[in-house]
Amino acid sequence: FCFLRGFDAEEDLVGSLASMSSNERVKAIQKMPKTMRQKREIRNKVLKEITKKSRHRGAQCTQGVAVPFQRFGNTLSECFQQLQPWHKTLKIIGAEFGTSVLSYFVFLKWLLNLNIFSFLINFGFITIPQFLAAEPNNLSFTGLELLTGAGYFQQTVLYYGFYTNATISKVENGPSYNMQLAYIFTVGIYFVISFLILLFSMARFFSRNFVKLTKAFSVNASKLLCTWDFNITNEKAVKLQQKNLLTQIKEDLTEVNKEVLNFSVKERLGRIATHLLAWVVFLATAVAASTGVYFLSINNLELFMKGYSNDLQRQAAMLVLPVIVSLLNTLIPFFFSWLGHLEKFQTPGQHIYVTIIRNTILKMSIVGILCYYWLNIVAASESQCWETLVGQDIYRLVLVDFIFCLLGSFFGEFLRRIIGTTVCVSLGLPEFDIGRNVLDLIYAQTLTWIGILFSPLLPGIQMIAFLIVFFVKKVSLMRNCQPPRKVWRTAQMTTSFIFLLFCPSFLGVLSVIGVTVWRLKPSEECGPFRGLPSMYASVDEWIQILESYTVSKWVVWIYHNLISSELFFFIISTVVLIVIYLYWQIIQARKTMTKLLRNQILN
């Protein structure tokens, strides 16, 4: 009797859900206090019920067609969710290693999505049209091109020099495609979109981790008592949720139970002297590394322009600069981490932030020296296509940096684990070096942004590299590293990563792209801007053509009064600064109000 009664109740439930609209039905199923498996079963029964009803009604046959498609769409979305490489990985990392290590993988995922977007834009608006006008490649492929980026790849869509300056049209008197405008507008619009994405991402993370951080002090009890999700029935999911909750509570408690160490005057002077000495050593190392890269790059160009006796020697010489630069970028950060350990910071956060600042200065100094070399020495050289030379240099730097990143995981984590568990047990397992690994990502993304103008498909290469790095770092973390010895809360870390990516990385890249587009003369024999005084001159010529058409007067007005007007950008900048100031005042007022309310609660 109870079974029949339950069966009738389930039939009534399915019938009532079937009579609802699609949105109402989804919300009703989500609110049910049942496991995910039971919810899926109910959803499938409802869809079957709707299909049966639609078969009996000829006038509503379209619904009968729509329901199987809806079911197929739901299944497909679940499959895509399962195929994502970070679907469960981020939860496991957060539970095992805490939010500090998790922030690195979240940042890596964010960069991967950004490069996918960049690749799709460049491939769709620049590369595909070039295929229609491309000439056959007569160069032979030897395999060394995968390392050097030269040879066969020189006559492909990988580099700037291969793209035509003609207007592409497959039909006479039909629609045409201006490759000059497509190239410069695609790159320009991409950087504008990237600027907005970075700006909004910083604002979102800042709002979540700084403005709303005051709520964290009142959620410790609720996190302990009211956070558990009783829909979880799978044993692995239960254990993962337990670990995740335990790690979050530990991190929150470290914020509450901060140790305030009182040092004597002698100890303080000793610590200050140690910090000053460490910074002097760091600055000397950074200056020496940048100077070495500068002289090596000049010497490398002279040897390249002279030529070599055989092709193998020429190919090997191309790899000298990227190998040396990657060696410096890989080994010196280990030295900086060791310096940080000698300084004995009070919290792991201080150690990580100081290491990140030092690595940022080092890497941006090296990138700055390379940009000066490309824009002032390579661009003024006697090369037939200096843009392709720059693109090849950046390709090699990206590829060799990727290889050294994988080697860093092997030597810095795998061998360190072997030594710490067999040879010198007192060392123990290594910890994941967040500062060094994050700066590797920012450095790689900076090279990709610089190289977009000279190698439009470079984001696709970086996309594959980041995907491989994600899996390699995940496996190395799980097998070789231990959780941080000092658990600490890192709510602001992702915000700091995005800020470092924006400034100095992105803003520095914008200045490099600006100098290239507005100041430098393109090569006479290659690329879409051959024969022009500058890349931006193609836009001026297009505007002059539009001035003769009455329909396009509004475009000409926008160009002269907005895009080319310094006053317009000055007004926009002023408005943005005023809005930022107002929001900052609102944040300060909210903090004051929160402090007053907390005092009232204590009273």
Side-chain angles (χ1 to χ4, degrees):
F1 175 74
C2 292
F3 171 77
L4 292 173
R5 191 174 171 184
F7 184 76
D8 292 338
E10 187 175 347
E11 279 192 342
D12 293 340
L13 175 63
V14 171
S16 62
L17 289 171
S19 61
M20 296 180 182
S21 65
S22 179
N23 291 333
E24 291 176 349
R25 185 165 57 249
V26 170
K27 290 179 181 178
I29 294 175
Q30 285 177 346
K31 291 179 181 178
M32 289 180 183
K34 296 180 181 294
T35 62
M36 290 301 296
R37 184 181 298 173
Q38 291 172 332
K39 289 180 180 180
R40 288 195 184 99
E41 290 175 356
I42 292 172
R43 184 194 64 188
N44 292 334
K45 288 179 181 178
V46 171
L47 292 175
K48 287 180 182 178
E49 183 66 23
I50 295 173
T51 308
K52 287 179 183 178
K53 289 182 179 179
S54 62
R55 286 174 183 170
H56 292 297
R57 284 180 273 177
Q60 298 178 357
C61 61
T62 54
Q63 189 180 0
V65 176
V67 169
F69 277 108
Q70 185 181 359
R71 189 186 305 165
F72 174 74
N74 292 332
T75 308
L76 199 63
S77 65
E78 290 178 5
C79 291
F80 277 124
Q81 194 177 14
Q82 293 293 334
L83 286 174
Q84 288 180 354
W86 47 82
H87 178 60
K88 291 183 179 178
T89 303
L90 297 179
K91 290 184 178 180
I92 297 172
I93 292 171
E96 295 282 350
F97 297 90
T99 56
S100 57
V101 178
L102 177 64
S103 61
Y104 166 81
F105 287 90
V106 172
F107 184 58
L108 176 55
K109 185 194 80 170
W110 190 87
L111 286 178
L112 178 60
N113 291 331
L114 186 67
N115 280 280
I116 292 172
F117 167 72
S118 173
F119 170 73
L120 292 177
I121 285 183
N122 289 353
F123 188 77
F125 292 98
I126 299 178
T127 306
I128 290 179
Q130 177 61 32
F131 281 134
L132 301 176
E135 297 178 359
N137 191 344
N138 298 321
L139 299 175
S140 59
F141 182 77
T142 61
L144 286 173
E145 292 88 347
L146 293 173
L147 279 177
T148 63
Y152 179 83
F153 285 155
Q154 194 168 344
Q155 296 297 323
T156 63
V157 292
L158 183 61
Y159 295 118
Y160 164 94
F162 183 72
Y163 289 85
T164 181
N165 64 337
T167 300
I168 300 171
S169 179
K170 301 302 288 184
V171 182
E172 290 186 11
N173 300 323
S176 59
Y177 196 83
N178 191 321
M179 182 54 75
Q180 288 183 347
L181 296 178
Y183 203 100
I184 195 167
F185 280 148
T186 301
V187 174
I189 291 172
Y190 165 72
F191 275 108
V192 170
I193 294 173
S194 297
F195 177 80
L196 295 175
I197 289 173
L198 284 168
L199 211 59
F200 283 112
S201 297
M202 279 196 301
R204 182 163 54 89
F205 283 117
F206 182 83
S207 174
R208 182 191 304 170
N209 298 328
F210 285 87
V211 180
K212 299 176 182 177
L213 193 61
T214 52
K215 295 180 181 178
F217 292 100
S218 61
V219 299
N220 291 331
S222 62
K223 187 173 287 185
L224 180 63
L225 302 173
C226 310
T227 312
W228 189 257
D229 185 0
F230 288 93
N231 286 330
I232 300 175
T233 57
N234 183 273
E235 187 177 351
K236 289 184 179 179
V238 168
K239 290 182 178 179
L240 181 62
Q241 182 73 359
Q242 286 175 343
K243 287 182 179 180
N244 207 341
L245 187 59
L246 179 64
T247 305
Q248 289 179 24
I249 292 171
K250 283 182 180 179
E251 291 173 351
D252 289 337
L253 288 176
T254 55
E255 289 291 311
V256 178
N257 301 326
K258 275 186 178 178
E259 252 185 89
V260 180
L261 299 176
N262 295 318
F263 297 104
S264 63
V265 176
K266 186 178 179 181
E267 288 174 334
R268 287 180 183 176
L269 290 175
R271 290 177 65 84
I272 292 172
T274 305
H275 291 317
L276 286 175
L277 182 61
W279 279 99
V280 169
V281 172
F282 149 72
L283 289 173
T285 306
V287 169
S290 301
T291 306
V293 169
Y294 174 73
F295 286 108
L296 177 65
S297 59
I298 292 177
N299 185 56
N300 192 57
L301 180 65
E302 291 176 355
L303 292 174
F304 181 78
M305 297 304 293
K306 286 180 182 178
Y308 294 90
S309 57
N310 57 65
D311 186 63
L312 184 62
Q313 187 180 3
R314 181 172 175 270
Q315 301 271 7
M318 290 180 181
L319 295 173
V320 173
L321 179 63
V323 168
I324 297 298
V325 170
S326 298
L327 268 174
L328 293 174
N329 281 325
T330 302
L331 297 178
I332 294 179
F334 282 108
F335 173 66
F336 289 165
S337 295
W338 177 74
L339 272 182
H341 287 298
L342 290 181
E343 292 177 87
K344 296 180 181 178
F345 292 100
Q346 292 187 33
T347 63
Q350 292 176 353
H351 181 197
I352 287 178
Y353 282 122
V354 169
T355 305
I356 286 176
I357 291 170
R358 288 171 179 170
N359 288 335
T360 302
I361 295 173
L362 170 72
K363 291 178 183 289
M364 292 303 115
S365 300
I366 291 176
V367 171
I369 292 294
L370 290 173
C371 289
Y372 176 83
Y373 158 69
W374 290 325
L375 302 185
N376 290 276
I377 298 174
V378 177
S381 65
E382 299 175 357
S383 171
Q384 291 183 348
C385 190
W386 65 267
E387 295 92 345
T388 296
L389 279 184
V390 174
Q392 290 175 356
D393 270 348
I394 297 175
Y395 172 89
R396 289 189 285 269
L397 283 167
V398 168
L399 187 66
V400 175
D401 178 73
F402 165 68
I403 294 172
F404 271 79
C405 180
L406 300 183
L407 292 176
S409 293
F410 178 77
F411 288 104
E413 293 164 3
F414 175 71
L415 288 185
R416 170 70 172 75
R417 176 179 69 87
I418 299 296
I419 294 171
T421 53
T422 56
V423 180
C424 185
V425 183
S426 60
L427 289 175
L429 294 174
E431 292 186 17
F432 190 78
D433 193 338
I434 301 168
R436 177 175 58 83
N437 284 285
V438 166
L439 264 297
D440 287 343
L441 297 181
I442 293 177
Y443 170 75
Q445 186 59 42
T446 305
L447 290 178
T448 304
W449 276 333
I450 297 172
I452 281 178
L453 192 64
F454 309 104
S455 178
L457 296 185
L458 198 61
I461 298 170
Q462 194 63 270
M463 173 185 69
I464 298 170
F466 279 158
L467 192 61
I468 296 173
V469 167
F470 186 93
F471 283 109
V472 170
K473 291 292 181 183
K474 171 200 134 185
V475 173
S476 178
L477 177 72
M478 295 296 181
R479 295 182 177 272
N480 302 322
C481 299
Q482 64 172 339
R485 293 184 180 92
K486 293 182 180 179
V487 182
W488 57 293
R489 197 166 180 273
T490 55
Q492 299 95 348
M493 185 151 292
T494 308
T495 313
S496 304
F497 296 162
I498 301 291
F499 178 77
L500 285 173
L501 189 66
F502 180 77
C503 177
S505 176
F506 185 76
L507 294 182
V509 169
L510 285 183
S511 63
V512 172
I513 297 297
V515 170
T516 307
V517 171
W518 270 275
R519 296 293 179 88
L520 297 184
K521 181 178 174 58
S523 299
E524 293 286 346
E525 301 179 12
C526 70
F529 304 103
R530 66 190 79 174
L532 296 176
S534 67
M535 293 183 182
Y536 192 73
S538 61
V539 179
D540 291 330
E541 291 182 358
W542 178 60
I543 292 298
Q544 290 176 4
I545 294 172
L546 291 180
E547 287 177 350
S548 59
Y549 296 98
T550 310
V551 183
S552 305
K553 290 291 184 183
W554 62 276
V555 179
V556 178
W557 185 90
I558 289 174
Y559 175 78
H560 287 301
N561 294 280
L562 297 182
I563 296 176
S564 301
S565 172
E566 294 86 355
L567 179 62
F568 172 73
F569 287 101
F570 176 76
I571 294 171
I572 290 291
S573 303
T574 305
V575 171
V576 170
L577 290 174
I578 291 172
V579 171
I580 291 172
Y581 175 76
L582 289 174
Y583 270 100
W584 181 256
Q585 291 300 315
I586 291 170
I587 291 167
Q588 297 302 317
R590 285 179 178 175
K591 287 183 177 179
T592 305
M593 182 59 68
T594 304
K595 187 177 179 181
L596 291 172
L597 290 173
R598 191 175 291 118
N599 290 333
Q600 287 183 14
I601 292 171
L602 290 174
N603 291 334

